[in-house]
């Protein structure tokens, strides 16, 4: 007997079996950068229950919070390769892979939760979803709305741009956020999300920015004292699916993914409205001190919009992309 055949037949059979198993029941993995309890968790849980219900329990989703499956930017790579199914992560950690998404992270473009909803659920969101498939091999199927990224630090209250002088602030590895802090006169420290808590605890960095809900979910109150209500960046956290994995699914499963994503998105918006104020009070009760930027944040706004917007026209696809977003928002 042909020896090659003896070896090949079991391999082919094993391959066929694996393929059949994939086509049958599948348990998908979903990575979350944040600890359980925040907006990422809410979105993931809602998506899981809606998806499992729509597929009659045939397909399941397991959630892995707290960066267990890698830091947020790595999860984009893994999903692009098809080795990870789903991930929920901050939009600023998608931008490095699909720069046009940066139009949502330019400072002070989004000025309210309503703005965020309008952009993500309208034509702009559709175009950016198509771009992430093209550029990064991942498809956005849902959005968590997490609120404005407030600045926290362990040193002193910050109300003016000058108060930032001498502070070491961690930012994600995101060019737009780095440029924003540079426009305020400091060089921030780019660092993976998964390393941030320890860096704050060990005073490698003095501060960082993230929404109230994330500050609370990550227990940053244990290592940070002061909060400044900056409103430069509204945190959007897309739920992405590997495009490769999505295309491997039958049409009914694809439909379930898209519908569950929509339902989870709606729920996320309601969750933010219902929770943010409560969490803010809770953080104060735990000893955090909150201040507003002086003069209605004018100095922060003026410096950031003047220096940062023009710098990124090219990467977002041209100035007209920003003009279109502002027009959509009625500005
Ligand atoms: C970051 O700061 O890297 C992200 O905002 C973390 C997150 O997803 O909450």
């Amino acid at each position: 007997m042909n020896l090659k055949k003896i070896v090949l037949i079991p391999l082919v059979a094993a391959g066929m079996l694996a393929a059949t198993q994939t086509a049958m029941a599948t348990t998908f993995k979903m990575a979350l950068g944040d600890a359980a309890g925040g907006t990422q968790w809410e979105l993931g849980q809602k998506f899981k229950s809606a998806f499992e219900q729509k597929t009659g329990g045939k397909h399941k989703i397991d959630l892995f919070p707290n960066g267990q499956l890698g830091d947020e930017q790595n999860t984009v790579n893994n999903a692009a390769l098809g080795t990870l199914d789903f991930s929920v992560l901050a939009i600023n950690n998608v931008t490095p892979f699909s720069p046009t998404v940066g139009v949502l992270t330019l400072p002070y473009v989004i000025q309210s939760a309503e703005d965020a909803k309008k952009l993500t659920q309208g034509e702009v969101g559709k175009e950016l979803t198509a771009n992430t498939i093209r550029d990064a091999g991942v498809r956005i199927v849902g959005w968590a709305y997490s609120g404005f990224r407030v600045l926290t630090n362990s040193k002193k209250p910050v109300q003016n741009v000058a108060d930032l002088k001498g502070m070491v602030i961690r930012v994600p590895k995101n060019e737009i956020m780095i440029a924003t802090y540079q426009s305020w006169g400091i060089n921030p420290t780019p660092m993976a999300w998964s390393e941030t808590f320890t860096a704050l605890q060990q005073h490698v960095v003095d501060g960082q920015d993230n929404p109230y809900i994330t500050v609370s979910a990550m227990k940053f109150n244990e290592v940070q004292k002061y909060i400044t209500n900056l409103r430069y960046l509204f945190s959007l956290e897309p739920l992405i699916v590997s495009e490769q994995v999505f295309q491997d699914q039958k049409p009914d499963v694809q439909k379930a993914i898209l519908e569950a994503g929509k339902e989870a998105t709606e729920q996320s918006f309601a969750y933010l409205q219902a929770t943010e104020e409560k969490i803010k009070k809770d953080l104060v009760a735990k000893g955090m001190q909150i201040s507003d930027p002086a003069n209605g944040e004018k100095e922060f706004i003026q410096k950031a919009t003047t220096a940062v917007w023009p710098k990124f026209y090219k990467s977002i696809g041209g100035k007209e992309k920003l003009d279109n977003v502002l027009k959509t928002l009625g500005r």
Side-chain angles (χ1 to χ4, degrees), residues 98-109:
S98 190
T100 60
V101 172
V103 74
L104 300 179
T105 58
L106 285 176
Y108 300 104
V109 165

Side-chain angles (χ1 to χ4, degrees), residues 49-123:
S49 60
F51 176 71
E52 290 180 355
Q53 188 250 325
K54 283 173 198 300
T55 56
K58 203 169 137 211
H59 297 289
K60 300 222 170 305
I61 302 210
D62 285 343
L63 270 61
F64 294 85
N66 225 358
Q68 287 175 65
L69 300 185
D71 75 48
E72 292 195 354
Q73 294 194 4
N74 279 339
T75 67
V76 181
N77 277 326
N78 295 340
L81 292 172
T83 55
L84 172 67
D85 307 310
F86 293 92
S87 175
V88 187
L89 72 169
I91 188 76
N92 41 271
N93 287 327
V94 177
T95 319
F97 304 94
S98 190
T100 60
V101 172
V103 74
L104 300 179
T105 58
L106 285 176
Y108 300 104
V109 165
I110 296 179
Q111 296 189 352
S112 66
E114 289 298 334
D115 281 358
K117 190 175 175 182
K118 202 179 272 179
L119 293 179
T120 50
Q121 296 185 23
E123 287 309 309

Side-chain angles (χ1 to χ4, degrees), residues 204-264:
V204 175
V205 294
D206 303 314
Q208 63 85 47
D209 67 55
N210 258 292
Y212 275 108
I213 296 176
T214 311
V215 170
S216 166
M218 298 302 291
K219 296 191 170 38
F220 280 177
N221 53 291
E222 291 174 3
V223 290
Q224 299 277 270
K225 169 89 181 157
Y226 303 99
I227 296 183
T228 307
N229 282 324
L230 287 186
R231 298 170 72 84
Y232 83 103
L233 190 48
F234 186 96
S235 183
L236 292 163
E237 313 213 54
L239 163 61
I240 56 171
V241 59
S242 158
E243 183 60 8
Q244 209 170 305
V245 170
F246 184 80
Q247 292 303 340
D248 280 349
Q249 305 310 311
K250 294 213 175 99
D252 61 325
V253 178
Q254 290 184 341
K255 189 164 169 263
I257 291 175
L258 298 176
E259 285 178 3
K262 257 197 183 141
E263 286 171 28

Side-chain angles (χ1 to χ4, degrees), residues 284-298:
V284 172
K286 285 180 173 153
M288 294 197 86
Q289 196 176 305
I290 301 180
S291 21
D292 287 320
N295 298 320
E297 211 167 331
K298 270 196 195 115

